[in-house]
Each structure stands twice: as C-alpha cells, then as structure tokens.
Amino acid sequence: MIKIKNYINGDLALPTDNQCLDVFNPSNGEVYAKCPNSSIDDLELAIESSKKSFQKWSSLKQSERSDFLFLIADLIEKNIDDFANAESLDNGKPLTLSKSLDIPRSIKNLRFFASLSNSIRPVSYRKENVISDILKQPLGIVGTISPWNLPLYLFTWKIAPALVSGNCVIAKPSEITPYTAYLFSKICIEAELPKGVLNIIHGDGKVIGREIVKHDKIKAISFTGGTKTGKEIAIQASNNLKKINLEMGGKNPVLIFDDCDYDKMMNSLLKSSFLNQGQICLAGSRIYIQKTIYKKFRDEFIERVKKLKVGDPFDKKTNQGAIVSSQHLEKIIMYVKKAVDEGGHIATGGDIPDIPNECCNGWYFSPTVIENLPQNSIVNQEEIFGPVVTLAEFEDEKEAIQMANNTNYGLASIIWTKDINRAHKLAELIESGLVWVNCWLERDLRTPFGGIKNSGFGKEGGKYALDFFTESKNICTKYYD
Ligand code: NAD
C-alpha cells in the first residue's frame, strides 16, 4: 500500500491527526494508496513555512526562480515513465495518453512559465516631469486547487506561473488523484527547492479545500473544477476580497457543416468526444450536424465509435480506459438513464462493457452516442463529463448558432467548415472563451485560456496567468528643475 504524504516546509509529512483517505485504482476498483486527509493544523504549518520563505523567494532574481522550474522539469522528464504509470494507475486513463499528453504537457508548463518569467518587467510612463514606474509584485501566499481529470497537467499549469512570479504556493491536488503531485514533491526535494516555497496539502476539498479558500493569509485562489464548487469558492473568497480565477465546467458544442474536410473532422471528432473517457472540460459533448450530411455522418460516426477499444489502461491497444471513480460512473449512468426518460435514443453504447481478467471489477463505460434529445433536455444542458455525446441536426448557420449558445456554459466550441468567412462570423457570435476552427485541443500556451458564463471567471495562460499572480504598483515620481 502506497502511503502518500503532504509536502510541508520542504519535507514529506503525514497529516498531524493521522487521518487518511483511500485512493483507488479505477482499472480494478481496488484501494492502492492512502492519502492524507489534512486538517487546518497541517495548513497552518504550511502557512508558517511559506511566511518564512516569502521574503527570500520573492527577492531572488527572476532567472534564479526559473532555474528551479527548469530543473524540476528536467527531473520529471528523467522519470517520465514513473510519472506516466502513476497517472494512469491513479486516474484510469490509458498509459499511452499519460505518456503522450499529461506528463509531457506538465513538463512543458514548467518550462514555458520559466521562460516567460522574463516578461515580468517594470513598465514606465512619462508625462512632462512625472515618471510613473509600474512594478509587478508577487501577491504573497497563494492557493491553487486542481481537479482529477488532468492531475499533474493542471497542477503544474497553476503552480508554475505562481512560483515564477515570486509567490509562495499552497497547492491542493484532487484527493481522487493525488499520486503524481506526491511524486512531484519528491522531485522538489531532489531539486532542493527552498523550504516553504511550495507546500502540497492533500485531502477532502470540502474540508481542507474550504480552509484554504477561507484562510486570510492566502491572497488568491486559482481554481479548476466543477461550476458548483467554483461558485462556492467565489462566495467564500469575497468575504476577504481574495483574488480568484475560476476555470469550471463545459457543455461544448461542435458545429459540423457539409463543406468541411470530412476525414479530418471525423478523426478529430472521435478524440474531442472520447479522449480521456470524455473527462476533458474542453470535450465537444453536443454535436450539431448540417441536415444535408446528417445521415451519412451519423452512420459513419457510430460505426467508428463502436470500434473504440475500452479496457485496461495499461494495454497499448486501449482507446478508452477506466472512469475515475465509482461515484463518477454512477453519475454517468444516471445521465444516460435520464436521456432515455427524456425521449433520447441510444444509438450506441449506454452500457457497462465486459472487461475481462484483472480489470473485471474496474469502472468502465462504453462510448455512448445519443440522438433525438430536445435541446432543453437536462442531458443537453448539464455537464456529464464522461464518454457520452448527443447528436442533432441543423438547417443553416442561424439555427446552428442558436443551438450552440443554448446553454449556461461557455468554455469552448468547435466549428468544422472550409468556408473561412462563415467560420469567423460564427466564431464571433459563439458564446465561449475559446473557439477551435477545423481543429481541437491545439494550444499555444501564450494565449488566454478560460470560459465565460458558468464556465469561468478570469483567464489563465501566458501573461494572463502572470497578471493574476502579481499586483501592479504605480510609483509616481515628480522631478523639478
Ligand atoms: P470538483 O469541483 O469536485 O473538485 C475540484 C477541486 O476542488 C478538488 O481538488 C477538490 O478537492 C476541491 N474542492 C471540492 N470542494 C471544494 C470546496 N468546497 N472548497 C474548495 N475546494 C474544493 O471538480 P472535479 O470533479 O475534481 O473536476 C471535474 C470538473 O472540473 C468538471 O466540471 C470539469 O469541467 C472541470 N474542469 C474544468 C477545467 C477548465 O479549465 N475549465 C479543466 C478541467 C476540469
């Protein structure tokens, strides 16, 4: 049994009151690790160590802070197989995905922000005999709270800009997938990251997550997770006027026009629907197809979906691994039942597949395609966050945009057409923070990332993240003849 520990003041530590949570291997449903269920006492220890470190860390040269991140990235790269195995064991995602996406992107996050830190420079404005120097200063101690679907990827996406900006960080990974954050702590020790600069505290979000959000020494919260949790954080953080950045759920539309590059669209669509078991906030879960190609599209898509191999995350041939937890699997089943109640037709999937041998007790769900659901049905409105997509046809651009915007979410959207004028016109009308035209999941890390409506508040990525983790100060000096 693996014993995951907190990382406080540069050391690995069990929780002060010894309370632990079970951590499951989704591929077989067995407990494989224990993780701290931390309390306010653990948080206070972390805050104390961060308070002591802040002055020194924030006074280092930009390049000195970046060097730590570069070193940590190199050490993860050296141990990439261990990290990828840990991510798949913990989350149930295919090992091929952990190796090709999760861990490489985590390394890239660290290197990207380590390089970008050069852009945190004072700016000066001059007006007659007055000079205003604008400093970008770190906030102090900041909190990051991340989810289970891309555990190390989103953990590093937050801590990297916070650290290079000169803050000390209290980071809380998801209690459902704590393993790679634990391995990350060991790498920080190997890299001799100064004590207290980063503290990693594990545990139940409703306990220690809430304490982090409430704590008056924590100046900002960067959160990624569900919309319900994000709203609670917004209310709590407003009590002491904490800075917040919220990256939340999505119900992303895909608009497929009859003039699109059909093969490219089909190959990409299988990924935007089912990659990571559909547990990606950016997944395209509502697929709208122009009437002229609906039947052809529908038959081919279903044929291709049926061929996706669901099974052991450690089998190289697996396309879709295990669902992260039994509770999440129950939620997905509940939505599929609701779809049937709402008049939907399950075109394929909708069931628990038989997975043989050591995976027979794991949590799996077949890739599922549902048709005939009304636009305002619960299943077309609420985020399922699993391998379930709905299909519907549209007549023209006007109807397509109306359908795309018919939701309270606004994270991402995808448009497939060769008509670039139409693509741009629709992209401007679509209510989402990110629009992909003829592609999906292409990311330039310099660009702003974040949703609108119920999907997000504030932006991550590039200088937007550095802005969030710093405060601008104006030093205004007048000089005289
Ligand atoms: P969640 O909201 O349940 O948990 C996210 C994190 O918040 C976890 O670390 C959890 O322990 C913590 N938490 C839970 N309750 C808390 C509270 N009251 N106070 C403080 N912290 C608390 O979300 P999840 O189930 O882990 O993740 C899935 C959700 O994340 C989906 O809705 C998905 O769309 C969203 N997500 C969004 C993005 C994005 O960039 N917009 C990216 C990935 C995932």
Side-chain angles (χ1 to χ4, degrees):
M1 182 75 56
I2 294 168
K3 221 161 187 156
I4 288 170
K5 294 181 180 143
N6 286 331
Y7 170 59
I8 297 179
N9 196 31
D11 286 324
L12 300 176
L14 287 168
T16 43
D17 59 10
N18 269 318
Q19 293 299 310
C20 285
L21 300 168
D22 288 337
V23 187
F24 293 88
N25 171 353
S27 78
N28 61 18
E30 287 171 13
V31 175
Y32 81 92
K34 297 277 179 190
C35 127
N37 194 9
S38 306
S39 66
I40 181 75
D41 295 338
D42 302 298
L43 178 60
E44 291 298 357
L45 291 174
I47 300 266
E48 270 319 299
S49 76
S50 287
K51 267 176 24 194
K52 280 190 207 137
S53 317
F54 176 65
Q55 192 55 40
K56 199 162 172 204
W57 179 248
S58 58
S59 318
L60 286 183
K61 281 190 207 144
Q62 204 63 257
S63 61
E64 290 173 318
R65 287 198 292 269
S66 290
D67 282 347
F68 280 108
L69 265 66
F70 282 126
L71 176 57
I72 290 169
D74 290 349
L75 291 171
I76 295 177
E77 197 166 53
K78 211 170 113 191
N79 295 283
I80 194 161
D81 288 342
D82 292 346
F83 272 88
N85 273 304
E87 205 67 296
S88 288
L89 176 69
D90 213 14
N91 175 281
K93 67 179 71 204
L95 182 60
T96 48
L97 188 64
S98 299
K99 264 193 182 163
S100 61
L101 177 75
D102 290 74
I103 308 306
R105 172 60 192 270
S106 308
I107 295 166
K108 193 171 170 188
N109 287 340
L110 295 163
R111 289 184 178 147
F112 170 75
F113 281 110
S115 308
L116 193 75
S117 66
N118 287 334
S119 66
I120 314 176
R121 287 203 200 103
V123 186
S124 288
Y125 298 98
R126 183 173 178 155
K127 193 178 166 213
E128 292 156 5
N129 56 344
V130 176
I131 298 178
S132 298
D133 287 316
I134 314 299
L135 304 188
K136 287 273 195 191
Q137 295 188 310
L139 303 176
I141 306 173
V142 299
T144 65
I145 300 178
S146 44
W148 50 256
N149 67 320
L150 298 165
L152 194 68
Y153 171 140
L154 290 173
F155 175 87
T156 47
W157 180 236
K158 293 180 178 302
I159 65 161
L163 289 173
V164 292
S165 311
N167 301 284
C168 289
V169 181
I170 312 279
K172 196 203 95 59
S174 171
E175 63 276 30
I176 299 169
T177 52
Y179 195 15
T180 45
Y182 172 56
L183 297 184
F184 189 92
S185 348
K186 293 185 172 184
I187 295 284
C188 291
I189 293 171
E190 195 179 339
E192 297 181 8
L193 184 70
K195 288 175 191 294
V197 161
L198 172 67
N199 292 288
I200 303 175
I201 304 209
H202 297 274
D204 186 349
K206 292 193 168 45
V207 180
I208 195 61
R210 280 186 178 147
E211 295 293 354
I212 291 172
V213 175
K214 263 194 330 210
H215 206 289
D216 65 350
K217 293 285 180 294
I218 296 183
K219 299 298 172 204
I221 298 289
S222 172
F223 166 80
T224 298
T227 298
K228 195 163 163 248
T229 315
K231 284 185 178 174
E232 183 190 320
I233 290 175
I235 291 166
Q236 186 61 52
S238 67
N239 286 333
N240 39 15
L241 297 178
K242 219 164 265 204
K243 231 176 159 181
I244 49 169
N245 173 213
L246 307 173
E247 301 298 342
M248 303 178 284
K251 190 75 182 172
N252 310 306
V254 188
L255 303 182
I256 301 170
F257 286 86
D258 60 7
D259 67 346
C260 71
D261 184 325
Y262 195 80
D263 292 340
K264 282 202 177 67
M265 176 277 295
M266 192 57 92
N267 288 331
S268 170
L269 193 69
L270 288 163
K271 294 196 179 111
S272 64
S273 303
F274 300 114
L275 194 76
N276 207 33
Q277 298 69 252
Q279 303 166 144
I280 297 191
C281 56
L282 303 164
S285 54
R286 295 180 294 137
I287 305 175
Y288 300 121
I289 309 102
Q290 197 158 23
K291 204 171 185 169
T292 39
I293 53 164
Y294 186 83
K295 189 165 172 351
K296 168 182 155 73
F297 164 84
R298 175 218 181 267
D299 293 348
E300 276 182 44
F301 183 57
I302 290 167
E303 208 45 49
R304 297 275 300 265
V305 173
K306 280 186 177 154
K307 288 193 185 132
L308 292 175
K309 188 174 178 301
V310 183
D312 184 353
F314 292 93
D315 180 341
K316 278 191 182 129
K317 292 196 202 104
T318 293
N319 301 111
Q320 201 187 277
I323 301 296
V324 76
S325 68
S326 62
Q327 292 87 338
H328 195 54
L329 178 60
E330 286 305 319
K331 184 179 152 192
I332 295 167
I333 294 170
M334 183 274 287
Y335 274 115
V336 172
K337 281 193 181 140
K338 203 169 271 299
V340 175
D341 293 345
E342 290 183 311
H345 164 245
I346 312 286
T348 183
D351 58 348
I352 293 181
D354 255 343
I355 309 293
N357 306 327
E358 60 268 30
C359 293
C360 65
N361 292 323
W363 304 312
Y364 298 88
F365 199 75
S366 301
T368 299
V369 181
I370 307 174
E371 291 178 293
N372 297 343
L373 271 179
Q375 286 310 300
N376 288 329
S377 62
I378 289 173
V379 172
N380 261 331
Q381 291 297 322
E382 295 183 7
E383 184 187 44
I384 301 174
F385 213 52
V388 180
V389 295
T390 60
L391 305 186
E393 59 183 31
F394 64 82
E395 190 83 44
D396 52 18
E397 289 174 14
K398 190 167 167 234
E399 192 180 17
I401 200 80
Q402 178 274 321
M403 288 165 116
N405 287 342
N406 181 26
T407 160
N408 290 327
Y409 290 104
L411 186 55
S413 38
I414 307 158
I415 302 173
W416 286 97
T417 177
K418 278 189 191 152
D419 181 342
I420 207 72
N421 293 327
R422 164 193 280 162
H424 271 269
K425 189 169 67 182
L426 293 183
E428 284 185 29
L429 292 173
I430 255 178
E431 294 163 356
S432 67
L434 174 52
V435 184
W436 277 295
V437 178
N438 297 330
C439 60
W440 179 68
L441 219 57
E442 289 293 336
R443 291 281 294 122
D444 178 331
L445 302 189
R446 293 169 298 183
T447 57
F449 178 87
I452 57 172
K453 293 159 86 173
N454 276 353
S455 294
F457 184 81
K459 295 283 180 264
E460 295 188 306
K463 81 171 202 47
Y464 306 88
L466 301 181
D467 281 346
F468 177 75
F469 286 114
T470 52
E471 202 61 79
S472 299
K473 180 189 277 181
N474 179 3
I475 303 177
C476 180
T477 311
K478 187 167 186 172
Y479 62 94
Y480 301 90
D481 296 331

